[in-house]
Amino acid sequence: MNLSESARSKGGRGYLFVLCFLAGFGVMLLEMCAFRELQLSFGTSIYVTGALLTLVMLALSGGYYMGGRLSRRFGSVGPLLVQLLGATVYVLVTNIWFAKTILDHSFDLRRSLQSELLRHTLPVVGATLVLYAIPMIAFSQVSPYLIKLLHQNDDGGADVGQVAGSLMSISTIGSIAGTLVPSFVLIPNLGVMRTLWVFVLTMLLALLAGAWLSRSRMLVAATGVLLAVGVWQAAIRLPQPRMPAEGPDGSALLMDLESHYGHVTIYRSVDQAGNEALHYMPSRMYIHSKVYPADPAKYQFTTGHLVMGVMRRAKRYLLLGTALGGAVAALEQLDPDARITAVEIDPFIVDLAKQFLPTLSNPNVRFVIDDARAFIRQDDQVYDYVMVDVIAGDHPPAHCLTREFFELLRERLAPRGVMEVNTQFLDSHVRTGLSEDAVFLPAQHLHAALLQAGFASVYQNDFFEHGEVYAFKQQTPHAGLRQELLHLVQDERVSVHLRTSAAVAALGIFPIDERRKSLPAFADDWLPEHRVHLKENFPHRIEMLAAARERDHHQGPWAQRKTLEEISAWHYAEIATTLPATYGGLETYMEGAGGAAYCRDVLRWVESRNPGGVGDLARYFLMGNASFCAKHLESMDEANTPRGNALKNLMAGIAFSLEDQSAEGLPLLMKAIDADL
C-alpha cells in the first residue's frame, strides 16, 4: 500500500498535513532569507522590498495555478515529492553553493545600466528570479495538489470545502512559523547560510520519510543520497563568508557576521604610514564608516561630524547612530571632558565597537540600545550638540528624516545648540538650462523640514559628497560662523585633525536660503521614499544638461562659461555626450583631456573674479574632482601665478584631506585660505 492509498489512514493523512505545513514554512523562510541576502548586495531600499514581494506573489500565484493543474493529471503524491525534492536541491545549489556567484553577477549588472531606476531594480529582479522563483513555485503547489488528493481519498464524507479549509489553515500556520522562527531564532543566532542548511536538511528528511511511506525504492535511494551529501557538505562548508575577500583600499576581510539588524562585515587595512583602519560595510554597496583605532580623529569624515560642537565648546553630546564607535572615540580624543550619550539600535555592533575601541568604556560615555526616534520621544535631557548619523541601507530611515523628528530634537537642544545630520543627500546647484523642479532633490525637502521645525539657520556641506547638514537653534550668520572656524584653524593648541576639519568646513559650508521653508517638507504623512531612494541624481542631471545645451545650439551662457555654474554645467553636459552618464564617466572625463579643460576653465574663472570665490566652489564644484585638478594644474604654465598657486594649494589640500592626510593637507589649505580665493 503506497502513501496515496494510505491517505485514508491517520498516519498517511498526518504526513500530508506535515508536508503542507513545511511548504508554507519554506515559502516564508526563503522570503526572510531573501530580505537579508538582497540587503547585503543591494541595500534596503523600497525598490528591493517591492521587487522581492512582487516576485514572491507572482511565484505563489503561478504555483497555485500549476498545483491545481497537476492535481488533475496525477492521482498520487509521488510526482509532488519529486518536484519538492528538485526544489530543495535547487535551493541547495543556488542559495547555498552558488549564491555568492549569482549575487556578484547581479551586482555587476548595475555597472552596465545608465538609468538609475533600472540600476535599483533590474539586478534585484534578476537575482530574485534566479534564487527564489523556482522553489517558491514548487512549494506553493502543495496546497492545491493535496486538496484534490485528500478529497478523492476521503471516505468520511468531508466535502472539498472542508478539506481545502483544513489544508489552507495548516499551510498558513506553517507560513506564520516560517516568518517567526527564522526572524527571531534561526537567522539572528545561526545566520542566513546555516538557516538555509537547516531548512534543506529538514526538507530532505521529510521527503525521505515520504519516499519510504510511498515504498518507492528509487525515490528513497535518491533522497537518501542527497541527504548524505547535504550533511557532508554542511559539515565542510560552514562557515562561509558572503562578502569578497578584498575590500576598499585593498583591505582584507576581517569578519563577516550577522546580527539581529543585518550583516556586519568588517575589513582591515594598513596604509603606508602603518595606520590601521577598520571599514564597516553592512552592504557591498557602500562603506558605512571607517575607524582608525589608534587615532580615531584622523578620519576626516567622522571628525567633520563633530567640528561644530568642539568649536563651540559643547559639553553635552547626543550621538544618534554609532556603528563601530568612531565618532564616540574621536570625540573622546578631541575633548576628554565631553559627556556623551550614544544611541545605537544594534547591541552586537556596540559590543564590537567596545572590543575594537577599549576607550569606549569611559564613564563619560553612556550607551543606549534603542531606535533613535523612540529614544528621543522618551528622553528629557538637554544637549549642546546632537549628531544624527542613523543609516538604513545607504541613507537615513524615513522616520528620521521628517519635520516631526527634527521638532523633537530641537526641543532637546540648549539655546545655543547645534544639530548635525549625515543625510547622504547632495544639494546640486548646477541648474543652467533647467527648471528648478526638473530633478527631485531630497536635500531641498529635508531643508524645508528643518526650517519648518523651527531651526533658525541651516547650512549644508557637500565637501565629502555625503550631504552634511548643520542646523542651529539660534540665528547664525555665515560670516560669523566662518570666522569661528578659521579661528579654530589657526589654533595650534588643538589637534591637526580638528584644524583640518575646521578648514574643510570653512571651505565647504554654504547657507540654505530661508525661502526653501515654503517647499513641501518631509513629514510623517509625506515622504516619497521611492524618490528618496533614487537620490543619485547626477546621471539624470547631466543628461538633462546635455539636452539643454543641444537645445540652445551651444549658444549663450554655454559658450561664454563666465560663472562657475556655467563652467560646471558645460563640462557635465560634455560628459553625457561623450561618455556614460555616470560617476564612472565623470572620473574618466576628469582623468583625460576633458578634465584638464575643466580645471583650466576653473583657473580662468579664479583669475578673472574678485576674492571670495570659495563659496561658489562649495556650491558648484564636486570636491572629489580636486585630486584630478591638482595634477592637471601642476602641468599648466598659466597656473604659475599668485591665484593659480593658491588654487593649486587648495586642490592639493582638498585631495590630502579626502585621503585623511591632515598633516600634509592642512598647510596647503591654510595657504589657500590666506590667499582668499
Side-chain angles (χ1 to χ4, degrees):
M1 182 174 64
N2 62 30
L3 179 59
S4 299
E5 293 170 348
S6 65
R8 299 182 181 89
S9 69
K10 291 184 178 180
R13 289 175 64 86
Y15 174 80
L16 296 181
F17 278 111
V18 169
L19 196 62
C20 186
F21 175 90
L22 286 175
F25 184 92
V27 167
M28 294 310 300
L29 178 140
L30 287 176
E31 187 172 344
M32 294 300 104
C33 290
F35 277 116
R36 277 296 181 92
E37 286 298 283
L38 296 176
Q39 171 193 349
L40 177 62
S41 290
F42 307 109
T44 57
S45 76
I46 196 169
Y47 291 101
V48 174
T49 303
L52 174 60
L53 293 179
T54 299
L55 291 172
V56 167
M57 294 298 105
L58 287 173
L60 294 179
S61 178
Y64 295 148
Y65 176 78
M66 292 175 62
R69 298 278 295 182
L70 289 172
S71 69
R72 297 181 59 188
R73 183 176 178 183
F74 300 105
S76 69
V77 77
L80 181 63
L81 295 178
V82 171
Q83 286 201 51
L84 293 178
L85 181 61
T88 304
V89 172
Y90 188 90
V91 171
L92 177 65
V93 173
T94 59
N95 284 254
I96 298 178
W97 288 348
F98 295 105
K100 185 176 182 300
T101 301
I102 293 168
L103 289 168
D104 285 347
H105 284 300
S106 299
F107 185 78
D108 290 342
L109 179 61
R110 291 167 55 91
R111 300 184 184 131
S112 63
L113 299 171
Q114 292 194 26
S115 166
E116 192 174 353
L117 178 60
L118 290 180
R119 283 202 306 274
H120 277 271
T121 54
L122 195 56
V124 179
V125 170
T128 304
L129 284 173
V130 173
L131 290 171
Y132 307 110
I134 288 178
M136 285 191 173
I137 289 173
F139 291 133
S140 59
Q141 292 182 48
V142 172
S143 294
Y145 193 98
L146 292 184
I147 289 172
K148 174 68 178 297
L149 185 64
L150 282 171
H151 177 64
Q152 71 183 13
N153 286 282
D154 194 324
D155 293 334
D159 61 23
V160 67
Q162 183 177 347
V163 173
S166 299
L167 283 171
M168 295 306 294
S169 174
I170 293 295
S171 177
T172 302
I173 292 172
S175 296
I176 294 170
T179 302
L180 295 176
V181 175
S183 299
F184 295 97
V185 180
L186 295 178
I187 293 177
N189 293 291
L190 302 180
V192 170
M193 180 67 77
R194 289 183 175 87
T195 296
L196 288 169
W197 273 113
V198 168
F199 173 67
V200 165
L201 296 179
T202 301
M203 281 301 302
L204 289 175
L205 277 171
L207 293 172
L208 181 62
W212 181 78
L213 288 172
S214 295
R215 299 180 182 179
S216 171
R217 294 181 179 179
M218 185 176 297
L219 191 56
V220 168
T223 308
V225 168
L226 287 170
L227 180 60
V229 170
V231 172
W232 170 60
Q233 285 288 295
I236 66 173
R237 294 176 70 94
L238 289 175
Q240 190 177 49
R242 309 305 294 268
M243 293 288 275
E246 184 174 334
D249 302 328
S251 56
L253 184 63
L254 183 63
M255 60 176 60
D256 185 17
L257 304 171
E258 292 186 57
S259 76
H260 287 70
Y261 291 91
H263 288 269
V264 179
T265 304
I266 299 175
Y267 289 91
R268 177 182 180 272
S269 66
V270 179
D271 64 19
Q272 294 180 347
N275 298 299
E276 179 193 29
L278 302 175
H279 310 257
Y280 168 45
M281 296 182 66
S283 163
R284 72 179 72 193
M285 290 182 65
Y286 69 102
I287 302 172
H288 181 283
S289 54
K290 180 179 178 181
V291 181
Y292 293 94
D295 191 6
K298 176 179 173 64
Y299 187 36
Q300 281 297 300
F301 183 57
T302 293
T303 304
H305 291 339
L306 305 168
V307 63
M308 293 290 181
V310 179
M311 178 189 74
R312 292 197 153 200
R313 295 181 174 84
K315 290 301 177 186
R316 299 166 296 180
Y317 286 83
L318 173 61
L319 308 185
L320 299 177
T322 65
L324 278 186
V328 181
L331 184 52
E332 288 180 305
Q333 181 182 352
L334 297 171
D335 184 1
D337 296 326
R339 298 189 301 277
I340 306 167
T341 299
V343 180
E344 170 60 48
I345 197 171
D346 193 339
F348 183 69
I349 289 291
V350 172
D351 290 340
L352 281 181
K354 291 180 178 179
Q355 174 186 328
F356 289 121
L357 300 166
T359 61
L360 299 186
S361 299
N362 185 327
N364 282 348
V365 179
R366 177 173 70 106
F367 275 98
V368 178
I369 307 300
D370 204 347
D371 173 82
R373 184 159 177 174
F375 171 80
I376 289 298
R377 291 186 63 183
Q378 62 189 10
D379 185 43
D380 59 0
Q381 295 191 43
V382 175
Y383 302 95
D384 303 310
Y385 193 83
V386 174
M387 182 195 82
V388 183
D389 191 20
V390 289
I391 302 294
D394 60 347
H395 64 81
H399 70 294
C400 293
L401 286 173
T402 66
R403 178 183 60 237
E404 291 81 358
F405 174 66
F406 295 131
E407 287 172 346
L408 290 172
L409 285 172
R410 185 180 177 278
E411 292 174 2
R412 302 291 176 266
L413 280 174
R416 293 187 72 251
V418 184
M419 179 178 68
E420 183 271 346
V421 187
N422 177 19
T423 70
Q424 304 288 304
F425 300 145
L426 279 176
D427 186 14
S428 177
H429 291 265
V430 180
R431 299 192 181 91
T432 301
L434 300 174
S435 62
E436 286 290 320
D437 60 349
V439 176
F440 180 81
L441 293 176
Q444 297 184 0
H445 302 281
L446 180 81
H447 298 154
L450 290 166
L451 292 168
Q452 291 181 22
F455 286 96
S457 297
V458 177
Y459 291 84
Q460 175 130 349
N461 182 357
D462 286 334
F463 187 92
F464 291 100
E465 300 177 20
H466 283 274
E468 195 168 15
V469 173
Y470 300 101
F472 295 79
K473 195 168 185 178
Q474 291 183 350
Q475 194 73 34
T476 307
H478 185 206
L481 181 60
R482 192 164 185 268
Q483 282 304 312
E484 284 187 80
L485 290 166
L486 293 178
H487 178 74
L488 184 59
V489 172
Q490 301 292 337
D491 190 348
E492 297 183 358
R493 297 170 300 173
V494 302
S495 159
V496 65
H497 305 314
L498 182 63
R499 293 171 66 196
T500 303
S501 287
V504 164
L507 292 167
I509 60 170
F510 52 86
I512 300 303
D513 193 325
E514 289 189 2
R515 287 177 295 182
R516 286 197 179 172
K517 187 175 183 179
S518 63
L519 293 174
F522 286 154
D524 288 348
D525 61 356
W526 182 79
L527 198 153
E529 260 193 283
H530 65 294
R531 303 188 74 183
V532 170
H533 285 294
L534 299 181
K535 61 188 177 61
E536 297 175 1
N537 287 293
F538 181 76
H540 187 197
R541 181 165 291 278
I542 63 176
E543 287 173 351
M544 296 184 69
L545 286 167
R549 189 179 71 168
E550 189 65 27
R551 181 196 64 210
D552 296 340
H553 306 291
H554 297 217
Q555 301 299 313
W558 298 99
Q560 298 174 19
R561 305 202 291 276
K562 290 182 178 180
T563 68
L564 186 56
E565 180 184 12
E566 293 164 359
I567 291 169
S568 295
W570 173 275
H571 287 282
Y572 290 165
E574 190 69 15
I575 293 169
T577 58
T578 58
L579 292 164
T582 62
Y583 281 106
L586 170 63
E587 184 174 338
T588 301
Y589 184 83
M590 291 303 301
E591 286 177 339
Y598 186 10
C599 299
R600 184 176 288 108
D601 282 346
V602 173
L603 173 63
R604 177 176 53 80
W605 169 77
V606 168
E607 294 280 12
S608 65
R609 70 186 316 282
N610 294 324
V614 167
D616 282 350
L617 280 169
R619 288 181 171 89
Y620 305 123
F621 184 82
L622 288 175
M623 297 301 181
N625 295 332
S627 59
F628 299 109
C629 280
K631 294 176 182 177
H632 289 310
L633 291 170
E634 282 296 332
S635 62
M636 296 180 188
D637 292 336
E638 59 266 42
N640 296 322
T641 65
R643 284 206 171 185
N645 287 326
L647 182 61
K648 287 193 287 186
N649 287 330
L650 177 64
M651 294 299 170
I654 291 172
F656 279 122
S657 300
L658 292 171
E659 295 297 324
D660 300 325
Q661 298 181 40
S662 302
E664 295 82 358
L666 180 60
L668 296 170
L669 293 174
M670 291 178 69
K671 288 180 181 179
I673 289 170
D674 290 341
D676 193 16
L677 287 177

